[in-house]
Amino acid sequence: MPIVTRKEVAELAGVSEATVSRVFNGLGPMKEETKQRVLEAAKTLNYHPNAIAQSFARRRSGNLGVVLPYVPKVHLFSTYYFSEVLSGIGAKVKEMGYDLLLMFRSQDEESDYNDVFRSQKVDACIILGAADTPRERQQLKKLEEGGHPFCLVNQHFTGERFNEVDADHTAGSYSAVKHLLEKGYSRVAFLNGSSQFSNSGDRRQGYIQAMREAGMEPENLAHLYYEGNYSRTSGYRAAAAVYERRREIDAVFAANDRMAIGLMQGLRELGWEAGRDVAVIGCDNSDAARVTDPPLTSVAVPFYEMGSLAAQRLLEQVNGEPGGFQLKLDTELIIRQSCRKA
């Protein structure tokens, strides 16, 4: 098949080659009639502009970057959170005509986020797994000061106005603990994740709010508070400590499903069954929550929608939409047998 040139399109449309370039590169004002003549001529001749040349003309790469934390020996893509968020991002990026570029970054790397843009490989980036540390804040502020478009998913930084798409983890936690209290449980323990992640603080806030309404002040909850690292193993390890206080605990709310499932496994090995001897609620509503024994009550977090919305709003910003955005999506408690009171 012969290659159709820009000159041939220009001749058929009755315009200059420069006008054809402006149409396909989206540059400058132009009459709608002229634009349509060029597009019709291109369609008739089956003309496809060179993607690389377009990128240079627009000074854009056509790529949306996603920065992921590199954690040795952790199968990141098998975790429900990352797989759902990435699926949402990927679907929206394809729909909007962009490509996706994944980049891994270790927390101890000397390079900063600006390096992602210096290579001109991406037009914008979504950052997953960000932690609230002084160094991370510094790097994000440098990105903001450099005018580079970026968005955080499932993480916010108090006092900052970065682009972010989050879920209402406070309301989700509150609904979970409130459900347990209304079912007659009164000694509700909380297995949380690291305080470096904003959702840990948000979920703690929801837990405290519900317990305070039940007459328990924060200073009286220390013996009911446990901390893991969002892994199944950390939940499994917490089981021994929870079991030791089994006379003081009748329910546990865990800040994600992986910890909840590990906790249930550890407690079962000690002879304490979720749904029979103790109520357990997780958070995420992962696929695994449906197939545990017993099935796990969990707070559903719309990770897919969060990824999709982050990609959409960020790419709209790249294409000229004004203003930043801070979005918070609703959660929903999905009730199953793990918190059924006998």
Side-chain angles (χ1 to χ4, degrees):
M1 181 180 293
I3 297 175
V4 179
T5 66
R6 187 173 56 192
K7 181 179 179 181
E8 290 173 285
V9 175
E11 288 175 349
L12 182 60
V15 299
S16 67
E17 290 184 50
T19 298
V20 175
S21 293
R22 287 200 300 274
V23 169
F24 284 101
N25 292 322
L27 301 174
M30 184 176 304
K31 290 182 180 179
E32 184 63 27
E33 179 189 351
T34 303
K35 179 180 176 182
Q36 290 304 318
R37 283 211 318 272
V38 170
L39 293 175
E40 284 296 326
K43 183 178 179 181
T44 299
L45 296 172
N46 197 27
Y47 170 74
H48 300 284
N50 184 287
I52 296 175
Q54 279 188 294
S55 295
F56 278 116
R58 294 174 178 171
R59 297 197 175 192
R60 293 185 188 169
S61 66
N63 294 326
L64 174 69
V66 177
V67 180
L68 298 159
Y70 173 69
V71 185
K73 299 182 180 180
V74 173
H75 300 289
L76 213 60
F77 298 111
S78 67
T79 62
Y80 182 76
Y81 163 66
F82 284 108
S83 64
E84 285 290 295
V85 173
L86 285 170
S87 293
I89 293 172
K92 183 57 66 173
V93 163
K94 182 177 181 181
E95 178 188 318
M96 296 182 71
Y98 275 71
D99 290 319
L100 192 62
L101 185 64
L102 300 182
M103 296 163 285
F104 290 89
R105 178 175 180 267
S106 298
Q107 292 296 324
D108 56 358
E109 277 186 15
E110 291 300 319
S111 61
D112 61 41
Y113 286 129
N114 278 284
D115 291 341
V116 172
F117 289 93
R118 288 191 187 106
S119 62
Q120 296 186 332
K121 289 181 179 179
V122 300
D123 301 326
C125 75
I126 294 174
I127 299 171
L128 304 182
D132 193 351
T133 64
R135 184 176 183 277
E136 190 86 351
R137 278 181 175 259
Q138 180 187 41
Q139 297 300 332
L140 292 172
K141 288 295 290 182
K142 285 174 67 177
L143 262 187
E144 183 182 53
E145 290 162 3
H148 299 303
F150 70 95
C151 174
L152 300 164
V153 173
N154 204 42
Q155 176 73 19
H156 60 82
F157 289 76
T158 303
E160 304 294 348
R161 295 287 291 173
F162 302 136
N163 289 335
E164 63 188 46
V165 177
D166 207 346
D168 195 342
H169 297 294
T170 300
S173 175
Y174 174 83
S175 68
V177 179
K178 187 77 172 174
H179 176 75
L180 289 168
L181 295 168
E182 288 174 348
K183 293 283 285 184
Y185 299 100
S186 59
R187 304 181 302 278
V188 183
F190 181 35
L191 175 57
N192 202 6
S194 169
S195 59
Q196 291 184 342
F197 301 107
S198 61
N199 51 67
S200 298
D202 292 344
R203 286 168 180 153
R204 181 181 174 90
Q205 183 180 338
Y207 168 76
I208 289 173
Q209 180 184 345
M211 294 295 279
R212 178 176 274 155
E213 289 178 5
M216 296 274 290
E217 291 301 319
E219 57 269 23
N220 299 323
L221 297 174
H223 68 292
L224 296 173
Y225 184 82
Y226 301 86
E227 187 171 306
N229 62 6
Y230 287 117
S231 69
R232 186 197 61 79
T233 301
S234 69
Y236 180 82
R237 288 173 178 164
V242 170
Y243 184 74
E244 272 188 30
R245 289 186 174 272
R246 61 190 178 280
R247 291 179 179 82
E248 304 167 57
I249 294 172
D250 59 6
V252 183
F253 171 56
N256 78 339
D257 287 349
R258 299 180 82 195
M259 290 196 298
I261 291 167
L263 176 72
M264 288 167 62
Q265 179 186 351
L267 291 176
R268 180 181 293 113
E269 291 177 7
L270 294 168
W272 223 31
E273 290 280 347
R276 184 192 71 188
D277 305 304
V278 62
V280 178
I281 294 182
C283 194
D284 291 349
N285 195 36
S286 62
D287 294 336
R290 301 167 178 81
V291 297
T292 57
D293 182 22
L296 177 65
T297 296
S298 185
V299 178
V301 182
F303 291 127
Y304 182 95
E305 290 78 6
M306 289 163 68
S308 176
L309 195 54
Q312 178 182 333
R313 293 296 296 270
L314 190 57
L315 289 176
E316 287 174 349
Q317 194 176 74
V318 167
N319 290 313
E321 290 287 330
F325 54 91
Q326 292 81 38
L327 308 174
K328 189 172 287 189
L329 278 61
D330 291 336
T331 57
E332 179 186 4
L333 182 64
I334 307 299
I335 300 170
R336 300 189 180 93
Q337 286 78 14
S338 67
C339 65
R340 184 171 291 172
K341 196 171 182 68

